[in-house]
Every structure is written in structure tokens, then in C-alpha cells.
Amino acid sequence: MSDIKISPVNIDLTPLVESAPKGVNKLFDLLFSKHLNRQQRTDRLSSAQIEKDIKLIENGIAEFRDGKFILNSEMVNNPTTVVGNIINNQTTIEQENIQQSLNKALEYLSGIEDHEVSDDIIEQTFFNKWFNFSKEVSDDELQSLWGRLLAEELCSPNTINYLVLNTFSLMSKRQLESFLKIVPYTAYSHLIFYDNNRPKDEAFEGTSSFELQELQDLKLIKEFNSTFQTSFPLSSGMLDNKDTPYISKSYKGNYVLFLKSESNKELSITAYQLTSIGQKALEIAEKDADIASQCQFLAKKLFNFSGLEHITDIEIQRRDSNGKYEFIDNIKRA
């Protein structure tokens, strides 16, 4: 059993009462059967079943009063002292952060079909790390990210490693926003297309080279120096567009941009590469993204890339799980 002390977290259990989705039930079981059952902890304290707490009580360090386990008046976090007030206030903030992250996880899980949720349980160590990291997160955007991380791991255990958790724990709201700015330029789940004839500060709309450097420091991007850039040749031969180069977009590759041209010239585009951590961040980011709109955005940008001057229009199609294609849009050069 973990030695981590976890304070009770207030969660609205209304969505759990009736017809709870499988993912929500998994989160409920994880939280209340192992950690957050306050009544169970109170019962154990009352019957002196927790050895550590008993020792603290016997040594005069702590007391159990009114259903609460507290340090006595001589200890540093006495609520009547300045330090105690600061500590108690910080504890309240941490509990609110955890609650909001858990609420975000519940929101995500409530929208996931039962067949998409594995029966396997997540590792205790993963949840311990998630719990400790999420209590530090106060920004709504980051709470959404941590809620998504827990939901993803509940649905598919052992798909998010500890290195990903550690990296995301270092990410600020601004750095998350920087990453989201480059998501529309991504393709094939691991590349970030850009025009190598443009200055670095203009390669991605609203993203500076300093912000790119931070994403590299966070190990989301491999390198963004010209020495490490990749020239990626575009393939052709899909569907009826046999000779038309195409770009596969979205993490699952189910959006396709066909680049139509009056020339038979082979096309290639320079790109930076995402690390495995960056790829996981992309996968998570695209859960809430409008991929069709991102495809339209990318198509309009591609017309301005050097080497793509012969492209006349870009057709966007979406591939469903059965391999059938649906027309989305046809973007013509302005």
C-alpha cells in the first residue's frame, strides 16, 4: 500500500449514480476503493488500525478529533500560526487542483464508449505520480491536460509512460499554448512542416524561435536547427489520385490532403520532427481539436511554401474506420 497521504477530494458524484459509462466506473473504483473513501479512513482511525497514525497519537504529535486527524497545537502547522495558515491554504489549493483535474477526467470518460475502455487496471505507481503532479496545476488548460492524461491511461493502461508525465509536469500554460500553435502544421503524426526559406520567427504563425527552443528543451521537438531539418518527400498513389502527392494528417492519419498540380515534379517539404513525447502530446491535443479546420489552415499555408508554387488546389478528404473516404473541402490557390 502506498505511503502517500491523500486528503479527501470533493467530487460531484451525480453522473456516477445512474448508467455510468465504463470509463467513469473505472475512475470511481480507482478513487474510492483505494484512496478517497473518507468514511473508511475515519473508521480505521477510530479503531486504531493505521499504525503510523497510532504512533503519532501515542507520541503526542497528533490528535484525532471530530473525525479529523490533526497535528497538535505545538506543531508547526498549527492553524493559529502564520505558517500554519499558509500551509493550510496551500493544502486547500492543492485539493482544488486535484478536484478540477479529476472532474476533467470524468468529463472525458463520460463521452467514451464502453468498448473503447480496457478491462485492465492502471498501475498504482502511475496514479500516485499523476496525483502528486496534478495537485500543482492551477491553470484550467493544464488541468484539462492532466484530466485527459488520466482518462487516456484508464482507457488504455500502460500507454502513457512516466517520462511523459514528468515532461508534462514541467510544462507551463504558455509552453502548452506554444505547442498547440504548431499542431496545425503537423503531419504523419511525427512531422512539423515549415517553409525553410522563412525566418525561424515566422515559420509558425505566432510562435517565436524562443518558444520553439523551449519545446525542444522539454523534449517535444527533436531539433529545430537547420542542421537537423528533414526534407520529407511526399508519396502518391492513393485512391483515384494515383499520381497526386498527398499528406496524411491527424495522429491516426485519417485526414488526407491531395496536392494537385499541373506539373509532374516530385514534391518534398522541410520538417522538424517530434520526439516520442511530442507524439504523445500531439495525440492528446488532437482529441479536442477540429482536424478538418486544421487541414484547411495547413492547405492555405502550403500554397506559400517554397517548392510548392505549382500546386493549384488542395483537396481534403476524411477516411473512416472502414477505409471509405468523405470529401471535406477543396482549397484553391488565391
Side-chain angles (χ1 to χ4, degrees), residues 43-159:
D43 292 343
R44 288 182 178 178
L45 283 170
S46 300
S47 58
Q49 294 299 305
I50 300 180
E51 185 175 345
K52 279 190 175 182
D53 293 342
I54 293 173
K55 289 181 179 179
L56 290 175
I57 293 172
E58 290 176 345
N59 292 332
I61 297 174
E63 299 175 9
F64 184 63
R65 279 202 316 264
D66 301 325
K68 295 180 181 179
F69 185 73
I70 59 174
L71 297 177
N72 69 21
S73 58
E74 278 103 26
M75 300 309 295
V76 66
N77 63 342
N78 176 3
T80 63
T81 67
V82 174
V83 175
N85 284 327
I86 294 174
I87 293 174
N88 286 338
N89 181 63
Q90 183 61 32
T91 300
T92 299
I93 292 173
E94 291 175 355
Q95 289 185 7
E96 290 175 351
N97 290 342
I98 296 168
Q99 175 180 327
Q100 291 305 314
S101 296
L102 287 172
N103 285 341
K104 294 293 184 181
L106 280 171
E107 289 178 18
Y108 291 131
L109 290 168
S110 64
I112 297 177
E113 298 291 336
D114 287 355
H115 69 271
E116 299 180 78
V117 180
S118 169
D119 291 328
D120 297 334
I121 61 174
I122 69 173
E123 293 182 358
Q124 184 65 53
T125 302
F126 178 94
F127 184 73
N128 292 345
K129 290 179 179 293
W130 180 92
F131 192 98
N132 284 322
F133 286 141
S134 64
K135 69 184 180 183
E136 301 174 356
V137 177
S138 296
D139 296 302
D140 184 69
E141 294 84 353
L142 292 174
Q143 289 169 350
S144 293
L145 172 63
W146 282 92
R148 174 66 78 179
L149 285 169
L150 181 58
E152 290 291 307
E153 185 67 9
L154 279 165
C155 292
S156 302
N158 300 313
T159 57

Side-chain angles (χ1 to χ4, degrees), residues 213 226 267:
Q213 180 65 59
S226 58
L267 300 179

Side-chain angles (χ1 to χ4, degrees), residues 259-262 267 303 308-314 333:
L259 281 63
K260 299 182 180 181
S261 171
E262 296 176 351
L267 300 179
F303 285 125
L308 302 183
E309 295 85 355
H310 300 293
I311 301 300
T312 58
D313 54 311
I314 299 176
R333 181 180 290 275

Side-chain angles (χ1 to χ4, degrees), residues 2-247:
S2 171
D3 288 333
I4 295 176
K5 298 289 186 182
I6 300 178
S7 301
V9 176
N10 297 319
I11 304 173
D12 180 9
L13 300 182
T14 303
L16 302 177
V17 176
E18 296 181 357
S19 303
K22 182 178 178 181
V24 172
N25 280 327
K26 281 191 71 177
L27 180 56
F28 179 87
D29 291 342
L30 174 68
L31 297 178
F32 291 91
S33 65
K34 294 184 178 180
H35 292 290
L36 303 179
N37 191 329
R38 184 174 184 177
Q39 185 60 51
Q40 182 183 31
R41 177 166 172 79
T42 301
D43 292 343
R44 288 182 178 178
L45 283 170
S46 300
S47 58
Q49 294 299 305
I50 300 180
E51 185 175 345
K52 279 190 175 182
D53 293 342
I54 293 173
K55 289 181 179 179
L56 290 175
I57 293 172
E58 290 176 345
N59 292 332
I61 297 174
E63 299 175 9
F64 184 63
R65 279 202 316 264
D66 301 325
K68 295 180 181 179
F69 185 73
I70 59 174
L71 297 177
N72 69 21
S73 58
E74 278 103 26
M75 300 309 295
V76 66
N77 63 342
N78 176 3
T80 63
T81 67
V82 174
V83 175
N85 284 327
I86 294 174
I87 293 174
N88 286 338
N89 181 63
Q90 183 61 32
T91 300
T92 299
I93 292 173
E94 291 175 355
Q95 289 185 7
E96 290 175 351
N97 290 342
I98 296 168
Q99 175 180 327
Q100 291 305 314
S101 296
L102 287 172
N103 285 341
K104 294 293 184 181
L106 280 171
E107 289 178 18
Y108 291 131
L109 290 168
S110 64
I112 297 177
E113 298 291 336
D114 287 355
H115 69 271
E116 299 180 78
V117 180
S118 169
D119 291 328
D120 297 334
I121 61 174
I122 69 173
E123 293 182 358
Q124 184 65 53
T125 302
F126 178 94
F127 184 73
N128 292 345
K129 290 179 179 293
W130 180 92
F131 192 98
N132 284 322
F133 286 141
S134 64
K135 69 184 180 183
E136 301 174 356
V137 177
S138 296
D139 296 302
D140 184 69
E141 294 84 353
L142 292 174
Q143 289 169 350
S144 293
L145 172 63
W146 282 92
R148 174 66 78 179
L149 285 169
L150 181 58
E152 290 291 307
E153 185 67 9
L154 279 165
C155 292
S156 302
N158 300 313
T159 57
I160 299 177
N161 61 46
Y162 300 153
L163 186 58
V164 170
L165 288 182
N166 185 65
T167 299
F168 286 175
S169 75
L170 301 174
M171 185 182 293
S172 68
K173 174 184 174 181
R174 180 175 56 79
Q175 291 164 341
L176 175 61
E177 291 172 343
S178 297
F179 182 79
L180 293 177
K181 288 177 185 177
I182 67 172
V183 166
Y185 295 88
T186 58
Y188 298 100
S189 79
H190 68 101
L191 297 178
I192 314 166
F193 285 146
Y194 71 100
D195 183 359
N196 65 335
N197 284 342
R198 298 178 69 86
K200 287 182 180 178
D201 282 338
E202 299 177 10
F204 308 103
E205 190 172 297
T207 307
S208 67
S209 58
F210 174 76
E211 290 173 306
L212 291 175
Q213 180 65 59
E214 286 189 318
L215 295 180
Q216 178 181 300
D217 293 342
L218 283 168
K219 307 301 182 184
L220 297 174
I221 300 176
K222 287 186 178 179
E223 292 283 352
F224 74 97
N225 297 316
S226 58
T227 309
F228 298 94
Q229 70 185 22
T230 299
S231 183
F232 188 82
L234 301 186
S235 301
S236 59
M238 182 178 287
L239 291 177
D240 297 329
N241 304 282
K242 297 300 183 183
D243 299 320
T244 304
Y246 67 88
I247 294 172

Side-chain angles (χ1 to χ4, degrees), residues 246-263:
Y246 67 88
I247 294 172
S248 175
K249 183 151 176 66
S250 88
Y251 191 82
K252 293 183 178 180
N254 52 358
Y255 284 82
V256 183
L257 288 74
F258 294 98
L259 281 63
K260 299 182 180 181
S261 171
E262 296 176 351
S263 170

